[in-house]
Amino acid sequence: MSNILLQMENMTKQFPGVKALNNVSLSVKSGTVHALMGENGAGKSTLMKCLFGIYRHDQGKIILDGQEINFKNSKEALENGVAMVHQELNQALSRSVMDNLWIGRYPTYKGLMVNQKEMYQKSKELFDLIGVDIDPKRIMSTMPVSQRQMVEIAKAVSYNSKIIVFDEPTSSLTEKEVERLFKIINMLKEKGCGIIYISHKMEEILKISDEITIMRDGGWVSTKSSQDITMDEIIKLMVGRELTNRFPEKTNIPSDVILEVSNMSGKYTKLIDATFNLRKGEILGISGLDGSGRTELVENLFGYMTKSTGSIKLKGEEIFNKTPKEAIKNGFALITEERRATGIFGILSIRENTVISNLKKYKKAKISLDNKKMKADTDWAIKAMKIKTPNQQTKIKTLSGGNQQKVILGRWLLTKPDVLLLDEPTRGIDVGAKFEIYQLIMELAKEGKGVIMISSEMPELLGVCDRILVMSGGRVAGEVNAKTTTQEEILTLASKYV
């Protein structure tokens, strides 16, 4: 008897102006982890959305446990043993954790009223099963992204699914939470579950997967055992070319101090007494565990959060950045951690998303906007960022996560900032696109811009940055030279005030 649990045969999906899937096949065995890899726009998420009932495929067939299926929506998929943990979270943030876990299937008293006691108990049992310490009554909006991601993972497990798709599940998780996720996946494997695992993190893929399928430009490229393929081979198959270095050569030369931050504390955040400086042409990394105050640091700098004490000096003159509008005027730009929630305007086009932070530049006769200039600047952004899109009028929500991030980066570069604040800029982005973004960051530094970059990926911080500021418990725990430090030194500092 075959142990193949899922077969997707000759899958094809066409969108206006682009063939997202071209005759793709995939087989997943029970009790295994099948990794799905490829650059942004390769078709990975589209293939999984066809499985999950979000998209209707144009050609091909899907066979689950010996039966051909064609789910009309995600509810039908969940009810028939297919669950999916999406890269972009879509949660009811004003509701509790347990509401988000059981929405649409609440336990009730005789079908009349929601049984809050039973719902709480089932939530506790579920979190105990997967080894996660989360209060079921906590409101979702009060939790960091990493814990919200663990709630989504718990929800998928709660359906007792035959197939679970993980789409970039660790993009916002701490190292400890990644270890916990891998234990959960191994538990699911032992139960005979088939796992489809999408990630751009090479070390992670080789550690957790049994088989790897690589896609490129909407088509199937190769399927191999994870034991029979190397990281370099995966990269070559993904990008269709040799990529000998994961990080560009560092040719920027930091010079004079451009930004001085003294004793900055947050009024509504746990940021405490942060003091540091940033030089022209420097890439300053920000490291730290989840909840360490990394994001709060850049949000206070950008005026998104209110500081209670401290001063900010740009080029020797004190500035205040009381609002994001004021920060932009002063030459700051911020790429936020949560692209979907605070980065893109999903229903607007690529052009509108590209020019929206720089509208004053396009004013024409005080009553209209110069479409020719906007089109030209958007063309520049598409070419410079290598954005894969049919045209400028394409709605940004239809692009892959990595291409959405490139649009946001292009938007801010058009404002010509002096200080660029990047919060997880390569989250959910493939290795080829990461390299391109690293090159852009390096070019900005070479032009004399100051760059502050938060990242949860230690190799990224060590490979791109000049110095690394380590946060712990809302404080600056230390500063290290990226060329001479070690991961152990950074982790020791990150635990200093925990």
Side-chain angles (χ1 to χ4, degrees):
M1 186 176 177
S2 172
N3 67 339
I4 292 178
L5 188 58
L6 173 71
Q7 288 177 278
M8 302 182 78
E9 300 177 358
N10 306 315
M11 298 291 289
T12 299
K13 177 64 181 177
Q14 182 96 21
F15 292 110
V18 61
K19 200 166 194 176
L21 293 176
N22 186 13
N23 204 37
V24 177
S25 296
L26 177 72
S27 295
V28 180
K29 299 170 185 173
S30 62
T32 66
V33 176
H34 197 116
L36 193 55
M37 301 193 72
E39 292 189 278
N40 292 109
K44 309 180 299 294
S45 294
T46 300
L47 183 65
M48 292 301 97
K49 286 176 181 178
C50 288
L51 168 65
F52 198 54
I54 296 172
Y55 294 154
R56 297 294 298 273
H57 52 282
D58 301 325
Q59 295 176 32
K61 62 181 179 179
I62 306 172
I63 300 169
L64 177 64
D65 219 4
Q67 300 292 320
E68 185 170 351
I69 53 99
N70 190 12
F71 300 133
K72 295 175 183 175
N73 50 52
S74 55
K75 183 175 183 291
E76 192 174 299
L78 287 164
E79 289 171 349
N80 286 275
V82 177
M84 186 169 177
V85 179
H86 298 272
Q87 176 186 353
E88 305 290 355
L89 300 178
N90 187 16
Q91 297 167 318
L93 297 182
S94 62
R95 307 295 299 177
S96 69
V97 168
M98 60 186 189
D99 277 329
N100 276 268
L101 282 173
W102 307 104
I103 191 168
R105 50 185 181 138
Y106 288 123
T108 61
Y109 294 106
K110 298 180 181 180
L112 297 175
M113 294 175 60
V114 175
N115 188 332
Q116 296 283 341
K117 185 177 179 181
E118 183 183 348
M119 184 164 61
Y120 178 83
Q121 189 59 39
K122 287 173 72 174
S123 300
K124 286 289 289 181
E125 290 171 0
L126 177 60
F127 288 139
D128 288 343
L129 173 68
I130 65 174
V132 175
D133 183 19
I134 296 176
D135 180 4
K137 293 182 179 179
R138 188 171 176 182
I139 301 300
M140 292 293 290
S141 62
T142 67
M143 299 197 304
V145 179
S146 60
Q147 287 192 2
R148 286 169 46 203
Q149 184 80 313
M150 292 305 294
V151 172
E152 282 300 292
I153 292 165
K155 185 176 180 179
V157 172
S158 74
Y159 279 94
N160 295 316
S161 302
K162 301 172 187 175
I163 293 284
I164 300 182
V165 180
F166 291 92
D167 191 353
E168 295 287 351
T170 65
S171 59
S172 59
L173 299 186
T174 64
E175 289 188 19
K176 187 176 180 181
E177 287 165 333
V178 171
E179 290 176 12
R180 170 51 50 193
L181 172 63
F182 287 174
K183 287 181 181 177
I184 294 169
I185 288 174
N186 287 326
M187 176 190 74
L188 293 169
K189 282 176 64 177
E190 289 174 6
K191 291 183 176 181
C193 188
I195 307 293
I196 300 174
Y197 194 95
I198 301 174
S199 178
H200 295 305
K201 298 180 180 179
M202 302 289 173
E203 296 89 349
E204 188 174 283
I205 286 290
L206 292 172
K207 181 178 180 180
I208 193 66
S209 66
D210 299 293
E211 290 184 290
I212 300 172
T213 287
I214 296 159
M215 295 178 65
R216 186 170 69 239
D217 298 328
W220 176 89
V221 175
S222 178
T223 298
K224 295 188 178 244
S225 165
S226 57
Q227 295 180 343
D228 298 331
I229 193 167
T230 66
M231 192 182 299
D232 288 341
E233 288 171 333
I234 292 172
I235 293 170
K236 186 177 179 181
L237 289 168
M238 278 175 56
V239 303
R241 64 186 189 278
E242 294 281 358
L243 194 63
T244 53
N245 295 309
R246 291 177 65 185
F247 305 102
E249 183 184 355
K250 289 189 66 62
T251 53
N252 61 307
I253 302 174
S255 58
D256 300 331
V257 171
I258 189 173
L259 178 71
E260 297 171 84
V261 178
S262 302
N263 307 113
M264 186 172 70
S265 297
K267 190 172 184 180
Y268 304 109
T269 64
K270 62 196 272 185
L271 183 67
I272 304 167
D273 205 31
T275 298
F276 65 96
N277 63 49
L278 173 70
R279 297 181 179 277
K280 290 180 182 179
E282 181 180 38
I283 303 170
L284 177 66
I286 308 288
S287 182
L289 303 175
D290 190 57
S292 63
R294 299 174 306 173
T295 295
E296 289 84 350
L297 177 66
V298 296
E299 287 181 344
N300 273 273
L301 276 175
F302 195 65
Y304 179 69
M305 301 300 291
T306 304
K307 63 180 174 56
S308 59
T309 62
S311 67
I312 303 170
K313 287 184 179 179
L314 182 68
K315 300 177 183 176
E317 294 187 12
E318 187 169 7
I319 58 170
F320 296 94
N321 287 2
K322 292 180 180 178
T323 64
K325 184 177 180 180
E326 188 176 339
I328 294 169
K329 187 178 178 181
N330 286 327
F332 286 72
L334 170 64
I335 294 181
T336 59
E337 178 184 11
E338 292 191 70
R339 176 173 52 243
R340 184 176 177 182
T342 56
I344 66 167
F345 298 86
I347 62 171
L348 300 183
S349 69
I350 290 169
R351 184 188 299 177
E352 290 163 326
N353 271 275
T354 300
V355 303
I356 201 161
S357 293
N358 210 21
L359 289 178
K360 282 187 178 180
K361 176 183 174 182
Y362 309 109
K363 276 190 178 180
K364 187 178 180 181
K366 296 184 178 180
I367 58 170
S368 63
L369 296 173
D370 190 328
N371 279 309
K372 189 176 179 180
K373 279 186 180 179
M374 291 194 295
K375 183 178 184 300
D377 280 353
T378 306
D379 273 336
W380 171 85
I382 289 171
K383 289 173 184 174
M385 305 296 119
K386 298 183 180 177
I387 299 164
K388 293 180 181 177
T389 176
N391 55 63
Q392 294 187 9
Q393 299 304 326
T394 301
K395 284 184 170 55
I396 194 170
K397 67 180 181 181
T398 66
L399 300 187
S400 65
N403 281 301
Q404 290 176 3
Q405 190 77 325
K406 289 180 185 180
V407 172
I408 298 169
L409 187 56
R411 171 202 299 169
W412 285 116
L413 293 187
L414 287 172
T415 68
K416 302 189 183 304
D418 290 313
V419 177
L420 189 60
L421 310 171
L422 309 173
D423 195 350
E424 302 285 3
T426 64
R427 177 185 168 198
I429 294 179
D430 64 77
V431 65
K434 278 185 178 181
F435 190 85
E436 292 164 2
I437 287 178
Y438 298 149
Q439 285 181 315
L440 286 164
I441 292 170
M442 199 71 70
E443 286 301 316
L444 286 167
K446 285 171 68 176
E447 291 172 12
K449 310 294 186 186
V451 180
I452 296 177
M453 185 174 84
I454 296 173
S455 178
S456 299
E457 296 187 40
M458 203 77 75
E460 181 172 85
L461 289 172
L462 296 172
V464 176
C465 300
D466 300 295
R467 285 185 299 139
I468 300 171
L469 212 64
V470 185
M471 301 290 294
S472 179
R475 301 173 183 270
V476 176
E479 175 192 302
V480 296
N481 186 320
K483 289 181 181 178
T484 58
T485 190
T486 62
Q487 294 193 29
E488 290 75 17
E489 182 182 16
I490 291 172
L491 288 171
T492 299
L493 286 169
S495 305
K496 187 173 181 179
Y497 299 119
V498 174

